[in-house]
Amino acid sequence: MHLGNLRTALFNLLLARGPAGGCFVLRIEDTDRERSSARAATALMQELRWLGLDWDEGPQRTEPGGPWRQSERAAVYAEFYPRLEQSRQAYPCFCSDQELQHQRQAQLAAGRPPRYPGTCRRLSGAEIHARLDRGERPALRFRVPAGRAIVYSDLVRGEQRVATDELGDFIIRRADASAAFLFCNAVDDALMGITQVLRGEDHLANTPRQLLLLEALELSAPRYGHLPMIVGPDGAPLAKRHGSRSVAALREAGYLPGALLNYLARLGHAYGDIGLQGLTGLACAFEVQRIGRAPARFDPQQLDYWQQQAVAEAPIAVLEAWLDGATVPAEQQRRLVEVLRANVRFPSELQDWAERIYGSLPPPDESVCEVLRAAGAGFFDAALRLVDEDEALSPQRLRQATGLRGRSLFLPLRLALTGEPHGPELAELLMLISPQRLRERLRRAGELARAR
Ligand SMILES: Nc1ncnc2c1ncn2[C@@H]1O[C@H](COP(=O)(O)OP(=O)(O)OP(=O)(O)O)[C@@H](O)[C@H]1O
């Protein structure tokens, strides 16, 4: 899953959990054998669960209504093809991929939109039998009625009108007998009682075809809403094949579910200023009328803003888990997280701070040494004396001892103790560092301050 298809799942869930109510259904559309695997489906379900996007009906649930994997529904689809064949609304097509490719190229070269030219539309019964007897394996094509307009009301884009003359006859069962996406998606929506579908605009061209199919099968159609695509920095829609922005990679980097959900819920949907919300809060304020119609650009800075909000409100145990493998005394983990949570957004940042506090400091660069020299060795000697007296160091006592305040007090002290010019409240940080470490670091800073 990437942020594009995750947002689609999220909007559907928010619609179902919103004021109008509903049921969020997960169906695994895996009829394209080359592009589907059981592993991918399992990963998808794990990712949805990690995000809290639990489905009300679908695989791994006890509610009846399945099977939910299209690869297990061949028998269901098989029932519907004969209906269309008998009413001559579908016909066998023997055209090879190569022939179709040539036809497409010829149409494009002539400046016409590529469309199935109807080669097999009028084959006689005898011809069909002869070719079947020769062992040819046809696909099954839906016969699009001529001269009609398909009109429907899109949940996001309003009234849509498409002339059937612009649609070529399309394949509903491939030559290898597998069901085509268009067909099984439409049939399953009807059989599963789906009433509303939010999906990406890349499906716009499918909609009139699916409406025609459902009409021909005398099945009810859901209402469709087409969401603008989420595009990357290059303007191209995010997609699996780009590999980037995958939910797995973001999870690995330490993004929290709350950050992804709050960011995505606002990507193409206007919320007022309601701050970080759980799914219930996001669902309560979700309205299809508030979905924008312009493509939404993925903005990593916005995502990181929501990560910061999510970290600020995350349960302490979640952040403690980020310390797994870091050398932090168990009894100090909680305190460390409390002190640092406003200053970190990712596990790597927290671990880096843990290393600075409980491990070793990176070697000081010239700009650090310059500040230490400017503070002078006497400053660090004074701090050392306080540690000897109190077995601790407080900025207040150091201020009294040195007469320094503000930046001239805090900056050299921070750099001496953490190597960082910024960070959490110094008084809190100092309480986490053992007296022994304080001494070592102050001595080292004193030496650097003396060095020329
Ligand atoms: N970049 C995107 N922005 C918004 N919605 C998207 C985007 N990519 C996919 N979707 C939508 O997410 C849903 C699931 O899409 P699907 O997994 O087929 O897309 P995909 O990952 O782009 O696929 P592929 O990479 O195989 O083309 C569909 O409704 C699709 O329209």
Side-chain angles (χ1 to χ4, degrees):
M1 249 197 318
H2 54 74
L3 292 179
N5 43 33
L6 170 57
R7 189 197 59 176
T8 311
L10 173 64
F11 277 21
N12 280 286
L13 174 127
L14 294 177
L15 186 61
R17 300 278 153 83
C23 181
F24 176 53
V25 182
L26 177 65
R27 182 170 71 228
I28 306 293
E29 306 205 311
D30 57 352
T31 54
D32 186 342
R33 287 176 205 149
E34 268 174 34
R35 300 182 59 208
S36 312
S37 73
R39 231 184 56 207
T42 306
L44 174 103
M45 289 189 273
Q46 278 168 352
E47 282 162 10
L48 286 176
R49 286 229 160 90
W50 172 68
L51 288 154
L53 304 185
D54 267 302
W55 46 102
D56 305 304
E57 288 179 16
Q60 302 176 351
R61 307 249 355 168
T62 49
E63 286 75 6
W68 304 98
R69 286 181 169 76
Q70 289 183 330
S71 55
E72 294 168 15
R73 296 176 63 81
V76 175
Y77 309 132
E79 264 182 53
F80 287 91
Y81 297 122
R83 297 194 196 177
L84 296 175
E85 288 173 296
Q86 278 151 21
S87 58
R88 295 192 39 80
Q89 290 178 97
Y91 60 89
C93 170
F94 295 90
C95 299
S96 68
D97 286 347
Q98 216 178 8
E99 281 168 308
L100 293 170
Q101 179 86 13
H102 281 143
Q103 288 161 356
R104 250 194 306 274
Q105 279 165 354
Q107 287 170 331
L108 286 171
R112 281 181 284 135
R115 198 173 294 156
Y116 181 63
T119 322
C120 294
R121 220 174 198 239
R122 276 169 288 275
L123 290 181
S124 68
E127 253 172 306
I128 293 171
H129 280 299
R131 294 181 79 160
L132 290 175
D133 287 346
R134 285 206 298 271
E136 287 188 47
R137 292 165 67 198
L140 189 63
R141 252 179 218 280
F142 182 76
R143 191 188 300 271
V144 173
R148 278 184 53 192
I150 304 295
V151 183
Y152 68 97
S153 167
D154 189 293
L155 287 165
V156 177
R157 301 161 61 91
E159 187 180 288
Q160 305 290 302
R161 177 179 288 268
V162 184
T164 54
D165 293 342
E166 288 171 18
L167 314 169
D169 294 348
F170 53 90
I171 290 181
I172 55 178
R173 187 179 62 209
R174 302 186 192 96
D176 66 3
S178 65
F181 163 79
L182 265 174
F183 182 80
C184 37
N185 176 267
V187 167
D188 284 345
D189 279 349
L191 298 186
M192 294 176 180
I194 304 298
T195 52
Q196 303 190 67
V197 174
L198 293 179
R199 59 187 186 183
E201 272 176 4
D202 52 337
H203 284 283
L204 260 176
N206 291 332
T207 304
R209 295 175 170 86
Q210 293 190 303
L211 290 171
L212 279 171
L213 261 177
L214 290 168
E215 182 192 84
L217 289 167
E218 296 176 13
L219 293 173
S220 58
R223 280 199 70 187
Y224 297 100
H226 293 92
L227 307 169
M229 302 305 276
I230 301 181
V231 299
D234 57 355
L238 300 181
K240 280 188 214 84
R241 55 197 166 274
H242 294 153
S244 61
R245 325 278 182 235
S246 77
V247 173
L250 294 166
R251 175 185 182 172
E252 193 85 347
Y255 282 94
L256 296 173
L260 296 180
L261 299 177
N262 274 272
Y263 171 61
L264 288 179
R266 290 164 173 88
L267 197 52
H269 179 279
Y271 277 100
D273 190 9
I274 58 172
L276 188 83
Q277 294 287 325
L279 280 172
T280 310
L282 291 171
C284 282
F286 186 83
E287 289 174 41
V288 274
Q289 297 87 316
R290 292 186 182 205
I291 297 175
R293 293 180 56 176
R297 193 172 286 265
F298 169 66
D299 178 351
Q301 279 175 355
Q302 273 299 311
L303 175 58
D304 286 358
Y305 166 80
W306 287 107
Q307 170 74 356
Q308 196 157 19
Q309 306 300 308
V311 170
E313 297 198 14
I316 207 102
V318 169
L319 304 181
E320 276 185 277
W322 284 5
L323 288 170
D324 196 26
T327 51
V328 182
E331 70 285 358
Q332 296 229 19
Q333 285 194 354
R334 194 183 175 85
R335 190 79 205 109
L336 178 75
V337 165
E338 278 164 354
V339 170
L340 284 167
R341 75 150 78 207
N343 294 80
V344 298
R345 289 173 306 178
F346 299 102
S348 57
E349 293 172 0
L350 184 63
Q351 284 162 12
D352 185 48
W353 273 105
E355 175 62 21
R356 280 167 195 273
I357 294 171
Y358 299 101
S360 52
L361 292 184
D365 63 19
E366 187 42 36
S367 64
V368 171
C369 294
E370 213 170 283
V371 174
L372 302 181
R373 283 198 295 269
F379 174 82
F380 301 105
D381 291 343
L384 261 171
R385 277 195 298 278
L386 291 176
V387 177
D388 287 338
E389 280 168 31
D390 303 345
E391 282 302 296
L393 182 61
S394 88
Q396 201 186 354
R397 293 264 286 137
L398 189 59
R399 183 163 59 215
Q400 287 161 353
T402 60
L404 295 170
R405 51 178 55 240
R407 190 178 153 82
S408 39
L409 177 83
F410 290 117
L411 187 60
L413 194 56
R414 270 191 193 284
L415 289 175
L417 298 176
T418 69
E420 271 290 322
H422 307 288
E425 185 70 43
L426 197 53
E428 306 248 20
L429 197 61
L430 285 170
M431 283 196 277
L432 292 171
I433 307 178
S434 70
Q436 191 198 333
R437 271 220 167 71
L438 286 174
R439 285 194 190 92
E440 279 166 21
R441 290 181 181 184
L442 290 168
R443 261 188 224 116
R444 172 101 183 102
E447 282 162 22
L448 289 166
R450 279 186 191 94
R452 282 286 133 200

